[in-house]
Amino acid sequence: MHPSRRRFLAGSGAALAAPLLPRRIFAAVPANTPLHGLSAFGDLKYPADFKAFDYANPDAPKGGTFNFAPPNWVFNQNTQTFNTLNSFAPRGDAPPRMELCFDALMARAIDEPDAVYGLLAETVTISPDGNSFEFQLRPEARFHDGTPVTADDVAFSFKLLKEQGHPNLMLTLTELTDAAALDEHRLRLTFSGRHSQRTILDSVLFPVLSKAYYTANPFESSDLKPPLGSGPYRVGRVRPGQSIEYERVEAYWGRDLPVNRGQYHFDRIRIDFYRERQAAFEAFKKGDISFRQEFTSRLWATAYDFPAVVDGRVVKREFPDEKRPSMQAVAFNLRRDRFKDVRVRRGLTMCFDFEWANRNLFYDAYLRSQSTFERSDYKAEGQPSVEELALLDPLRDKLPPEVFGEAVMQPVSNGSGRDRKLLGAASKLLAEAGWKRSGGTLVDDKGERLTVELLDEDDSILRVFAPWVDNMRAVGIDASVRLIDAAQMQARQSDFDFDVVMMALSWDATPTREGLETLFHSRSANVPSSRNLPGTADPAVDALIEAVGQTKDRQGLIVAMRALDRVLRARQDWMPCWYSASHRAAYWDMFGFKEPKPDYGFPVETLWWFDKDKAAKIGKG
């Protein structure tokens, strides 16, 4: 998502002609001054005359094919199937990495926590009131058919995405009041004044679409016609639902921009789609897939002993994870009456035995998540600080009392798989919530059973959910697991047609108000396809998200995020699950890459390159 949220990964650039300015952006840069980049807090790392990002390699060769299993995706994308090539609409299943076919106004540097630099936009100028942003577009920018990318295209794109785009795009643009082409190469985006000052950092990463193309072709149509883009890749060979190739655009207009140098090396990026993880793993073992991140701890611990690993043709290693908050959690659907009482949600959480699962299923590969912002400074610890209380006290009458004590922690079991103490506590909570045993099953005062269906598309998760289901049944819950295909899963999540589902994502290092709104704000609770899976609609949460948006420095952001974390953990709309401290990756040893990896991203498909000598040594040349 955004919330991976995986950020829009178009190429990026910086204006060689932009003036060398004091590099503090929102706080100190004077209004009406053309800027080559923006950052929420602090200095930009790169001046206007930089040549390439430090993590890129301008000397790397071009060529080869990179066939990989995408570890993350965004918007309506799906890794098991696809039925549309429109990645930015609310409906349908699109293939990952369609974003590589499109450019944006600006692009993110992934060795900084929140910096963006010009791509289609040569410079950006902020108005004195901070409500409008004027972009000077690069006149050389072109779509793949050779037509120019104009301010009219950009204005059209923002209006279209605000009205018809995926909720992650649409909700971010809620406070956008106008997108206007001032002339062929000048664009102004105007916001209402109710926006966060960091709204622009998300907005400038959105795809720019061709007005001519989407005037002739309906935006929301689910077809497999390759859309017209302007990015470093275009759609190549497509086998519907089975595979897609992205071809490098040799004449890409932005290939020599400073922050495009040293990226986009592969001639082709190929993705094959598998319905089952084991089938994908077998394809990797044969060499049909050349790179994969391993998310099944059992396989990582026991299955990487096949001949290509033993003789060194396949490399198995761990890369440091990004310095960004992460979230892997189960959502309880509060739109269903039986989950509205927090005591029910707590009871369900007490039935999940992480300690047993970690030892018996995960090979002790994971740590227990406690927060929706795990692995970050935004995770609340201990008692609330004085600064946090300054935000929380005015909302005290709207908040659970647990918010004002130690940060809520997940229950710790004895690791037996059926901790009687925890299950007894769960039974007590459920009884307090009005659920009584009748014939071995919990029912309410109307005689309706407490049913819980855990929904998933991945058969490997059944091993984790099955013991949880057994424990829920032990306390009288009519619990079950349903495995459905990827397209059904996407549709049912979009329509909020589920009891309980799991979601994993990583946040940007500097979360924005708009990003938080897509998961936790009442505004997104009933927007189809939004990531607010539980349907959280709490005025106190809304107020704290607004406080996050109004912070003026990083310390203020940390305080507001910790306060929000306390409330979310006390509400227990989500049950945090587990996390790993590193990327577990395996790849056929025919690639080059620069080390160390950047701190805020791991886009191997855009940074790695094909090494002919290595490939020849392992018979892949």
Side-chain angles (χ1 to χ4, degrees), residues 32-48:
N32 297 325
T33 302
L35 308 170
H36 75 287
L38 299 171
S39 178
F41 309 117
D43 294 338
L44 290 169
K45 176 179 179 179
Y46 296 96

Side-chain angles (χ1 to χ4, degrees), residues 2 5 7-8 74-75 86-90 158 161-174 202-203 205-207 219 514 518:
H2 301 273
R5 296 193 339 147
R7 301 309 308 148
F8 182 73
V74 72
F75 307 133
N86 186 350
S87 191
F88 312 118
F158 276 90
L161 295 174
K162 178 181 169 69
E163 295 171 1
Q164 301 181 43
H166 188 278
N168 281 15
L169 301 161
M170 179 178 64
L171 291 169
T172 299
L173 300 176
T174 298
D202 278 345
S203 303
L205 301 174
F206 289 174
F219 178 72
E514 289 72 21
T518 63

Side-chain angles (χ1 to χ4, degrees), residues 33-344:
T33 302
L35 308 170
H36 75 287
L38 299 171
S39 178
F41 309 117
D43 294 338
L44 290 169
K45 176 179 179 179
Y46 296 96
D49 60 351
F50 78 104
K51 304 302 181 184
F53 285 140
D54 291 344
Y55 52 81
N57 183 4
D59 298 323
K62 304 293 186 184
T65 297
F66 189 65
N67 189 331
F68 80 127
N72 47 16
W73 53 96
V74 72
F75 307 133
N76 67 355
Q77 295 173 359
N78 198 320
T79 57
Q80 293 183 309
T81 188
F82 65 96
N83 50 39
T84 179
L85 295 182
N86 186 350
S87 191
F88 312 118
R91 297 288 180 171
D93 300 273
R97 304 307 183 262
M98 277 299 301
E99 62 270 23
L100 292 175
C101 301
F102 297 87
D103 284 324
L105 285 171
M106 307 182 83
R108 180 150 292 160
I110 56 175
D111 57 350
E112 298 180 78
D114 52 37
V116 293
Y117 296 87
L119 174 53
L120 287 170
E122 189 171 15
T123 62
V124 55
T125 303
I126 307 173
S127 66
D129 62 6
N131 291 341
S132 65
F133 301 81
E134 186 173 312
F135 299 88
Q136 182 67 43
L137 303 187
R138 300 181 190 274
E140 66 269 30
R142 291 290 185 274
F143 288 108
H144 294 152
D145 65 354
T147 58
V149 180
T150 68
D152 201 31
D153 290 303
V154 184
F156 169 83
S157 299
F158 276 90
K159 292 174 181 177
L160 180 65
L161 295 174
K162 178 181 169 69
E163 295 171 1
Q164 301 181 43
H166 188 278
N168 281 15
L169 301 161
M170 179 178 64
L171 291 169
T172 299
L173 300 176
T174 298
E175 301 300 337
L176 178 72
T177 59
D178 192 29
L182 305 180
D183 58 35
E184 187 175 6
H185 298 123
R186 284 192 305 136
L187 168 86
R188 179 181 295 136
L189 298 181
T190 303
F191 293 84
S192 66
R194 296 183 296 273
H195 63 293
S196 162
Q197 74 165 9
R198 294 186 295 281
T199 300
I200 194 65
L201 298 180
D202 278 345
S203 303
V204 295
L205 301 174
F206 289 174
V208 169
L209 311 174
S210 163
K211 180 178 180 180
Y213 179 86
Y214 280 108
T215 299
N217 298 273
F219 178 72
E220 290 190 330
S221 65
S222 293
D223 60 36
L224 293 170
K225 180 180 179 180
L228 178 62
S230 63
Y233 286 87
R234 61 161 58 95
V235 173
R237 186 183 306 171
V238 174
R239 295 175 63 202
Q242 298 181 58
S243 66
I244 186 169
E245 291 185 0
Y246 299 104
E247 299 175 347
R248 185 169 61 86
V249 178
E250 183 67 31
Y252 172 46
W253 73 270
R255 64 187 181 278
D256 294 323
L257 293 176
V259 289
N260 277 339
R261 293 189 187 123
Q263 300 189 61
Y264 313 118
H265 304 297
F266 295 109
D267 282 344
R268 284 171 301 280
I269 296 173
R270 179 183 172 92
I271 300 170
D272 291 306
F273 293 76
Y274 296 89
R275 302 279 178 160
E276 298 177 352
R277 286 195 185 191
Q278 188 61 39
F281 181 58
E282 294 300 325
F284 173 72
K285 288 167 62 177
K286 292 190 298 182
D288 294 339
I289 294 174
S290 52
F291 174 94
R292 71 182 260 123
Q293 287 190 48
E294 186 55 72
F295 297 103
T296 303
S297 53
R298 174 180 55 84
L299 291 179
W300 189 249
T302 66
Y304 282 82
D305 57 356
F306 53 92
V309 174
V310 174
D311 64 26
R313 287 175 294 152
V314 166
V315 177
K316 176 191 176 188
R317 64 170 287 186
E318 297 189 11
F319 293 86
D321 213 340
E322 284 71 66
K323 296 179 179 179
R324 302 188 303 180
S326 68
M327 169 183 169
Q328 179 157 325
V330 164
F332 302 111
N333 191 351
L334 275 63
R335 301 170 189 86
R336 303 198 166 169
D337 288 342
R338 57 190 179 278
F339 301 123
K340 288 182 178 178
D341 192 317
V342 69
R343 293 170 294 188
V344 172

